[in-house]
């Protein structure tokens, strides 16, 4: 009778059982317990609890609300002394379930007061060497005298009690504002306009040698704060970095400027025929039908002639905007203007560029093209652009966004020449600032608390739009290359993420409290989303989820949790590990190839195999087993290397004969080589293992192991490779997809880094 042997399955079961049935250590040897530190644990501790206002899926809840603020504003811009005087009436609608005892209004211009505490918010050093301008501006220059002068606050013409605290003004209503009620009040004010090219500012004027000035004006009126279910009143002071949290509303704005100025701003220009010349009106009507190229509305020759004069007459421009969160405008006699129509299902949108002659030829060539591309790319990724126009205004040293209008830098040299750096910088900033119409002007996140939700998300979509621009306008970039995006590609954030931890903050930080705001709020979150799209989720799942988020929260106030939850809810991809690593910590990505070991299999008992069986009380003669032999190890036989596994372990043939049909056996492989590849993870953030295996026959194989391989061992993981081919190379993350901060440990055999001298030598021989 044939002796019954243990099967390989039973042996494996025995081994697994022993692993979970170890003898308990003595009391004095027991380790202290720990909390759940697994990188894949749920984010319940970090997330706010879902409720009737915001659901666990990331969508607005059945009780979601947002208050509204409508404005009627009349202002005059004085071009002689650079001041703005204004009068506004605000109608505030309480849609919340709460009774409001008072209202909060933002006075952002107060950051420009001579005694503003924002001037002293940072420490200052005294370096051994300084630039003259730094010394003059820091220690010798009188501070600019800005800030709002609030002349009156009234209701129905009667004084209304109020209190000003730095950049916030509290309106004390005669009685609380009940749910569903409205409160109307008026404010009269004025302020000095800052020269933004001298005192760096988001809004102001640029002065030219002939005395002309270009005005890019925002934060020019007292604006309502947001009241919502998350913050209550969002009355966190404006210190300079954290931008603006604002409610939606309708605007009727009348702006009086010198009669020879060209002006445009947020909303529809409702008296265009009154303020445009007959020729400009004809050109505008042509532009409304031009879908392939811009039409010049006011030419450079016309602007040059107009800027020579100084009209003493005045002209009032009237604009109306529905459902916007802010208002801004630009005005100058120097302006050139062009426009082009962009077709959308619900109506055409006008893409407009406004710039002085100093911006040409660069602006006439590329600005409106960039606006058009932005509207198309962003709409594809989110929702169709809902506003009637998008304006790009040339502002020297500027990059700032408002509904339907933005300021953008990029100026050629005086002779009209410009570098690629200037060209790409201009195109990129236009895409970025026009893109802000989507984030946060429509998907209205709280910039005062979460800078990354507008800047980082917007920079990510900017990257997509830039790549689209390069494909659609190949003449604008170097031949056979793609658009040189500054941010978004994984390799471009590794220097920051691998840098000094003393000067890195988590993305989930208030923008006032971070180091390196550009990397923290723009570069890192944009890169994280790009990796999520290209490497972790894939474009199909990511794009659907991202569009779901944008459409759920358009014209609403989302939080970070709403974004995180929606991305998971719409994709069925668990991303808690990703949000935790990339957004809540300052850890980085660093994975490496620790070792590669070669094996063959045999049915001849080995010393190591016998020792293992002995631990289980098993006799090798009674075990139907396959033994693993490491190349160069104790039982290694070079003659066995490279043979099919069924030759070295014929009992595998017996097993296949007993358990598979001839057709099934024909599909089975008989690998000649077995390799155990161990990957380690010095970095804190787990990522999918993307590896390229190279073989002796010259072929290569790219394999991606899911990120879950790290869930039970955060330090190292081994994968066994069974192949007919001899393995000669292993390369981790060959296309630099994961933002790995140290690629010197990414290869086997280890590749020595090329020295700077050798790199220079190779380049000089091309």
């Amino acid at each position: 009778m044939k002796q019954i042997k243990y099967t390989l399955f039973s042996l494996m079961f025995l081994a697994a059982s022993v692993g979970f049935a170890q003898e308990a250590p003595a009391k004095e040897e027991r380790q202290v317990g720990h909390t759940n530190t697994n990188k894949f644990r749920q984010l319940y501790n970090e997330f706010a609890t879902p409720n009737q206002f915001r659901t666990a899926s990331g969508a607005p809840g059945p009780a979601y609300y947002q208050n509204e603020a409508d404005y009627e504003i009349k202002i005059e811009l004085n071009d002689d002394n650079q001041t703005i005087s204004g009068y506004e009436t605000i109608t505030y609608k309480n849609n919340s379930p709460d009774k409001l005892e008072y209202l909060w209004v933002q006075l952002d211009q107060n950051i420009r007061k001579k005694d503003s505490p924002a001037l002293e918010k940072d420490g200052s050093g005294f370096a051994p060497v300084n630039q003259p301008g730094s010394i003059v501006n820091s220690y010798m220059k009188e501070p600019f005298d800005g800030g709002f002068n609030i002349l009156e606050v009234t209701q129905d013409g009667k004084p209304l009690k109020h209190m000003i605290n730095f950049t916030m003004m509290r309106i004390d209503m005669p009685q609380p504002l009940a749910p569903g009620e409205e409160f109307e009040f008026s404010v009269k004010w004025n302020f000095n306009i800052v020269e933004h090219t001298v005192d760096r500012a988001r809004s102001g004027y640029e002065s030219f040698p002939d005395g002309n000035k270009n005005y890019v004006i925002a934060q020019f009126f007292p604006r309502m704060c947001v009241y919502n279910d998350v913050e209550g009143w969002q009355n966190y002071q404006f210190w300079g970095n954290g931008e603006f949290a604002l409610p939606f509303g309708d605007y009727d704005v009348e702006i009086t400027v010198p009669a020879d100025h060209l002006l445009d701003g947020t909303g529809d220009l409702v008296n265009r025929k009154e303020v445009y010349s007959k020729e400009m009106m004809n050109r505008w009507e042509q532009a409304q039908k031009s879908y392939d190229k811009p039409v010049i509305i006011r030419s450079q020759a016309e602007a040059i002639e107009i800027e020579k004069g100084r009209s003493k007459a005045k002209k009032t421009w009237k604009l109306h905007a529905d459902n916007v969160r802010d208002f801004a405008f630009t005005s100058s006699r120097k302006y050139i203007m062009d426009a082009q129509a962009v077709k959308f299902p619900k109506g055409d949108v006008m893409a407009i560029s406004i710039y002085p002659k100093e911006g040409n030829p660069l602006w006439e060539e590329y600005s409106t093209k960039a606006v058009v591309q932005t509207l198309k790319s962003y709409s594809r990724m989110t929702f169709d652009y809902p506003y009637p126009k998008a304006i790009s205004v040339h502002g020297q040293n500027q990059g700032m966004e408002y509904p339907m209008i933005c300021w953008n830098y990029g100026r050629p040299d005086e002779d009209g020449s410009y570098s690629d750096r200037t060209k790409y910088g201009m195109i990129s900033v236009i895409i970025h600032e026009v893109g802000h119409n989507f984030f946060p002007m429509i998907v209205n996140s709280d910039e005062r608390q979460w800078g990354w939700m507008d800047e980082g998300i917007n920079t990510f979509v900017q990257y997509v739009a830039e790549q689209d621009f390069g494909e659609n306008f190949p003449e604008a970039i170097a031949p056979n290359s793609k658009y040189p995006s500054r941010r978004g590609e994984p390799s471009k954030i590794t220097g920051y993420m691998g840098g000094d931890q003393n000067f890195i903050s988590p993305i989930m930080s208030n923008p006032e409290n971070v180091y390196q705001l550009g990397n923290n709020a723009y570069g890192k979150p944009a890169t994280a989303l790009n990796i999520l799209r290209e490497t972790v989720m894939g474009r199909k799942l990511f794009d659907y989820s991202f569009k779901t988020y944008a459409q759920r929260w358009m014209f609403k106030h989302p939080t970070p949790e709403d974004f995180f939850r929606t991305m998971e809810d719409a994709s069925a991809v668990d991303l808690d590990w990703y949000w935790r690593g990339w957004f809540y910590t300052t850890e980085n990505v660093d994975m490496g190839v620790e070792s590669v070991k070669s094996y063959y299999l045999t049915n001849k008992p080995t010393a190591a195999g016998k020792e293992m069986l002995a631990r289980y009380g098993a006799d090798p003669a009674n075990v139907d087993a396959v033994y693993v032999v490491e190349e160069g190890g104790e039982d290694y036989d070079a003659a066995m290397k490279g043979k099919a596994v069924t030759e070295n372990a014929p009992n595998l043939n017996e097993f296949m004969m007993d358990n598979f049909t001839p057709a099934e056996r024909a599909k089975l492989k008989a690998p000649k080589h077995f390799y155990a590849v161990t990957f380690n993870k010095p970095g804190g953030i787990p990522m999918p293992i993307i590896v390229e295996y190279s073989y002796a026959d010259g072929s290569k194989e790219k394999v991606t192991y899911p990120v879950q391989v790290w869930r039970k061992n955060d330090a190292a993981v081994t994968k066994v490779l069974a192949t007919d081919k001899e393995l000669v190379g292993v390369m981790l993350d060959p296309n630099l997809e994961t933002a790995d901060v140290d690629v010197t440990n990414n290869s086997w055999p280890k590749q020595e880094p090329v020295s700077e001298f050798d790199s220079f030598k190779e380049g000089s021989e091309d």
Side-chain angles (χ1 to χ4, degrees), residues 147 164 293 349 516 628:
I164 296 176
K293 63 180 180 179
V349 174
Q516 305 181 65
V628 179

Side-chain angles (χ1 to χ4, degrees), residues 556-602:
K556 294 182 176 67
H557 302 282
T559 67
E561 289 97 328
D562 297 323
F563 175 68
F564 296 148
R565 284 171 166 151
T566 295
M567 292 300 292
E568 297 189 30
D569 180 69
S571 67
V573 179
D574 177 20
L575 295 168
D576 285 7
W577 62 274
Y578 198 82
W579 310 132
R580 174 177 288 107
W582 279 88
F583 288 79
Y584 286 86
T585 78
T586 61
E587 293 179 336
N588 55 47
V589 179
D590 183 13
M591 299 181 291
V593 182
E594 183 175 290
S595 65
V596 178
K597 296 181 180 180
S598 175
Y599 298 89
Y600 67 80
L601 304 185
T602 178

Side-chain angles (χ1 to χ4, degrees), residues 688-707:
I689 299 174
I690 305 168
V691 59
E692 184 178 77
Y693 295 118
S694 298
Y695 299 101
D697 65 358
S699 63
K700 294 183 178 181
E701 178 187 19
K702 189 176 180 181
V703 178
T704 298
Y705 301 115
V707 69

Side-chain angles (χ1 to χ4, degrees), residues 14 196 207 456 603 620 760:
L14 179 62
H196 71 76
S207 185
N603 63 340
F760 170 78

